[in-house]
Amino acid sequence: LRLFARFGVAGLAGTAVHYALFSLAMVLLDVEPVHASVAGSLCGALLNYVLNRQWTFRVDTPHRRAFPRFMAVAAAG
């Protein structure tokens, strides 16, 4: 149950960063919606990767193997 809760918190944090960056880029910087969404999505995914790696699953797989796999799954989603 704790693992599931941590996974959920990491997902919510990534979503919050995505939405915050998306909104701020559009409102304050007048960035096109697609570009703002891409920036928010990348930052949210990066935060999600870090939180899940360090806090949720505590893995020691090298970044050169784990990060491309994570991004492939994120892109497929």
Side-chain angles (χ1 to χ4, degrees), residues 8-69:
V9 168
L12 287 173
T15 300
V17 165
H18 178 170
Y19 183 73
L21 243 66
F22 169 74
S23 299
L24 291 172
M26 282 187 20
V27 173
L28 297 179
L29 303 175
D30 198 33
V31 175
E32 293 292 323
V34 171
H35 297 127
S37 184
V38 168
S41 178
L42 290 174
C43 290
L46 184 60
L47 177 64
N48 207 330
Y49 171 76
V50 170
L51 288 177
N52 279 313
R53 179 181 172 83
Q54 300 296 325
W55 186 53
T56 304
F57 300 112
R58 297 181 182 155
V59 297
D60 58 358
T61 305
H63 287 290
R64 68 181 179 279
R65 287 187 55 216
F67 187 70
R69 291 178 181 178

